[in-house]
Amino acid sequence: MHKSSTLAVPEHAGVPRHLAIIMDGNGRWATQRFLPRSAGHARGVQAVRRVVEACGRRGVRYLTLFAFSSENWRRPQEEVTLLMRLFVQTLQKEVDKLNEQGVRLRVVGDTSAFDSGLQDLIRKAEERTAQNDTLHLTIAANYGGRWDILQAMQRMLTEHPELCADPKGIDETALTPYLTMSFAPEPDLFIRTGGEQRISNFLIWQLAYTELYFTERYWPDISVRDIDAAFEWYRTRERRFGRTSAQLAGGD
Ligand code: FPP
């Protein structure tokens, strides 16, 4: 039988245990107001703060935010530099507060591409909050879902070279411990703001059974009420994970 790494149907709690978000629309928010794109990103940071606090209060255990994709390097150099600076400033400014709130911060992605100062800040922030368990906040930075699967495969085969001689012996449960999000359950709910309906190489492995919610709202405009509306919608979903409704009703 095909062995899947998605084993259990989780309790359908009122709030998602794991919420993953693509924060899109910062640039358009700014352009609409005749402001530079940087103003949109700065307002985007305020929205991050609002959403982190709201998720903490509502009992979300894992919140994963797509801050910078592997493809975002293709943006004008000026904007890339600005995003990096914003990232550093936010880490410096927010880490004390996050720590007080019991937030555990992680950054996933190929951070080796960042300058050493930023890598150092990331490491320190992760170490500083490593004992916290209230909300696991993960920032995906220079992250791509395909990169994640490839690096998992490479690390698995490096640790278990014997698998090269027996590729059929590789199943999902062998690979998943090597994915960067292996510490978290798969996302229950995904939200993308800004009107596009795409996954854009975000957690492509982990989103296989996730409920997908799209809103036209630009990220800087996202309010706590918008998050509640997404949770309300999530509560109406029946998650079957390939089973039938009857099986779920019978608890099989
Ligand atoms: C997408 O909007 C947003 C980004 C590429 C950057 C997201 C970054 C932040 C919200 C701020 C930094 C975050 C942290 C966690 C410190 P876009 O620029 O693609 O908008 P557009 O599609 O309207 O152009």
Side-chain angles (χ1 to χ4, degrees):
M1 196 185 72
H2 169 68
K3 206 162 149 202
S4 167
S5 53
T6 300
L7 296 171
V9 178
E11 291 280 313
H12 193 296
V15 292
R17 268 172 323 178
H18 184 172
L19 169 63
I21 306 182
I22 294 187
M23 311 178 285
D24 199 10
N26 291 353
R28 281 166 288 162
W29 181 93
T31 306
Q32 231 178 30
R33 289 163 178 75
F34 306 104
L35 295 168
R37 292 174 61 84
S38 56
H41 295 313
R43 286 296 281 257
V45 174
Q46 294 178 19
V48 169
R49 221 174 273 135
R50 274 199 300 279
V51 170
V52 170
E53 279 172 15
C55 285
R57 281 199 302 272
R58 279 153 185 71
V60 171
R61 297 300 316 284
Y62 297 87
L63 173 63
T64 305
L65 304 175
F66 206 6
F68 193 83
S69 76
S70 335
E71 290 73 29
N72 284 152
W73 293 112
R74 296 179 196 148
R75 292 189 175 205
Q77 182 56 43
E78 202 183 272
E79 185 169 343
V80 171
T81 309
L82 178 122
L83 277 168
M84 294 300 150
R85 197 176 307 139
L86 206 57
F87 200 37
V88 173
Q89 285 169 349
T90 308
L91 271 179
Q92 280 171 332
K93 228 167 54 198
E94 303 288 332
V95 73
D96 282 344
K97 203 156 96 208
L98 291 173
N99 196 34
E100 277 165 27
Q101 293 168 344
V103 175
R104 177 163 184 179
L105 184 76
R106 291 181 181 90
V107 176
V108 295
D110 184 7
T111 50
S112 68
F114 295 155
D115 76 52
S116 58
L118 180 51
Q119 287 186 45
D120 212 40
L121 265 178
I122 290 172
R123 207 173 21 251
K124 284 192 181 129
E126 286 183 334
E127 277 168 16
R128 178 98 192 280
T129 61
Q131 306 307 320
N132 297 338
D133 189 38
T134 308
L135 172 68
H136 293 248
L137 171 63
T138 304
I139 309 295
N142 197 24
Y143 177 88
R146 292 179 183 174
W147 165 84
D148 196 0
I149 294 167
L150 283 174
Q151 68 77 32
M153 187 65 83
Q154 287 161 359
R155 289 203 297 133
M156 182 186 70
L157 292 178
T158 305
E159 277 184 32
H160 297 283
E162 72 280 5
L163 286 171
C164 294
D166 176 29
K168 289 223 164 81
I170 303 173
D171 61 20
E172 290 179 23
T173 53
L175 188 71
T176 45
Y178 296 93
L179 293 167
T180 54
M181 294 296 299
S182 61
F183 59 85
E186 289 166 21
D188 306 293
L189 176 64
F190 160 93
I191 299 176
R192 181 173 186 147
T193 63
E196 309 290 351
Q197 304 207 349
R198 281 192 295 272
I199 302 294
S200 297
N201 201 19
F202 194 24
L203 306 162
I204 49 177
W205 177 289
Q206 296 87 344
L207 290 173
Y209 288 101
T210 303
E211 298 295 334
L212 307 178
Y213 182 89
F214 300 94
T215 168
E216 295 289 319
R217 192 91 72 203
Y218 294 148
W219 177 252
D221 282 333
I222 279 292
S223 67
V224 173
R225 208 184 272 180
D226 294 320
I227 296 297
D228 283 337
F231 287 6
E232 195 60 46
W233 174 85
Y234 170 74
R235 278 191 275 278
T236 66
R237 310 301 302 158
E238 181 189 79
R239 305 187 67 203
R240 297 206 301 271
F241 296 87
R243 297 167 176 85
T244 65
S245 297
Q247 277 178 308
L248 285 186
D252 293 348

